[in-house]
Amino acid sequence: AQSVTQPDIHITVSEGASLELRCNYSYGATPYLFWYVQSPGQGLQLLLKYFSGDTLVQGIKGFEAEFKRSQSSFNLRKPSVHWSDAAEYFCAVASTGGGNKLTFGTGTQLKVEL
Amino acid sequence: DAGVTQSPTHLIKTRGQQVTLRCSPKSGHDTVSWYQQALGQGPQFIFQYYEEEERQRGNFPDRFSGHQFPNYSSELNVNALLLGDSALYLCASSFGPGGETQYFGPGTRLLVL
């Protein structure tokens, strides 16, 4: 069964600092990988996705993520964090064998200090 | 281009009652998936509807049921509510059951007292 681990429950960074959120997945083949962001009381907004090809993918709001097959990781990065980036971030995996059920990690809560 | 919409936004029920939540998919999408997000947790897949049939189901009891209408909108029904059913219920839509990307609605916050 597929699974996702986000080892950091909470992360605090200063505005303008760089950010990396970790995500490790378990899946038998190359999965579809996603990062979503959730602001308080809101639904999920898609930041970026990886299906195949270039392992460095660019998303919205200046975010990027790198797929590393050897480490089963898909870490999210941003070179300079803005106060408005404070939110909860979810990594998710979907199977590629038909059906697009998403399996989510438990999320990382990002706090940005001014 | 209308995104995924859900109604109601908030709901309060008591134990044992039944509830119906509604979802309209993003324009052009024909597949609807439902997720439950308990406080402090990631969303958990409940089930998916395509062509008015349940296509996939997660590890949820039969108290959770659904329906999809010819216009692709969907309902989630939960019977015999338990306190543990309190959660944010998210609807996501995609083009086809294998559609690569799901887009989420704002959710319905259900509180069971």
Side-chain angles (χ1 to χ4, degrees):
Chain A
Q2 60 204 49
S3 65
V4 175
T5 301
Q6 294 181 247
D8 304 306
I9 299 174
H10 298 280
I11 283 186
T12 300
V13 299
S14 299
E15 190 175 36
S18 63
L19 172 71
E20 182 168 28
L21 303 183
R22 296 183 291 165
C23 172
N24 292 96
Y25 69 90
S26 173
Y27 183 68
T30 300
Y32 293 156
L33 294 161
F34 305 82
W35 276 98
Y36 286 88
V37 61
Q38 185 175 40
S39 297
Q42 301 299 311
L44 300 171
Q45 181 182 23
L46 179 67
L47 284 176
L48 47 77
K49 58 191 177 185
Y50 173 78
F51 296 147
S52 65
D54 191 349
T55 57
L56 184 64
V57 293
Q58 303 295 321
I60 62 171
K61 304 184 180 185
F63 286 92
E64 66 178 25
E66 186 172 13
F67 170 62
K68 293 185 176 180
R69 183 192 307 274
S70 62
Q71 299 177 20
S72 297
S73 69
F74 188 57
N75 294 349
L76 182 71
R77 300 194 294 251
K78 187 170 185 177
S80 178
V81 170
H82 188 263
W83 65 266
S84 61
D85 293 325
E88 188 149 26
Y89 292 79
F90 291 95
C91 181
V93 62
S95 65
T96 55
N100 60 4
K101 162 193 162 182
L102 288 170
T103 299
F104 285 86
T106 51
T108 297
Q109 186 70 47
L110 174 64
K111 180 180 176 182
V112 179
E113 292 183 331
L114 300 177
Chain B
D1 179 17
V4 179
T5 60
Q6 292 185 245
S7 63
T9 55
H10 296 82
L11 206 50
I12 300 176
K13 293 287 188 178
T14 56
R15 281 178 297 174
Q17 284 189 313
Q18 179 264 345
V19 68
T20 298
L21 310 182
R22 296 175 176 82
C23 171
S24 291
K26 180 179 170 67
S27 178
H29 287 182
D30 57 6
T31 302
V32 172
S33 300
W34 287 92
Y35 293 80
Q36 180 196 65
Q37 186 179 17
L39 200 60
Q41 300 295 318
Q44 299 280 321
F45 176 76
I46 303 174
F47 45 53
Q48 180 186 74
Y49 275 84
Y50 172 67
E51 292 186 333
E52 302 181 46
E53 291 186 3
E54 183 181 293
R55 298 290 177 155
Q56 295 185 81
R57 189 177 183 93
N59 188 26
F60 280 81
D62 292 345
R63 297 188 298 108
F64 289 77
S65 63
H67 187 78
Q68 186 179 35
F69 299 94
N71 67 353
Y72 310 124
S73 66
S74 176
E75 289 182 347
L76 164 65
N77 301 292
V78 187
N79 294 322
L81 284 166
L82 304 175
L83 296 180
D85 294 331
S86 296
L88 179 68
Y89 288 85
L90 294 164
C91 169
S93 74
S94 61
F95 179 65
E100 293 175 337
T101 304
Q102 294 182 55
Y103 293 88
F104 284 79
T108 293
R109 175 75 63 184
L110 173 64
L111 177 61
V112 182
L113 301 175

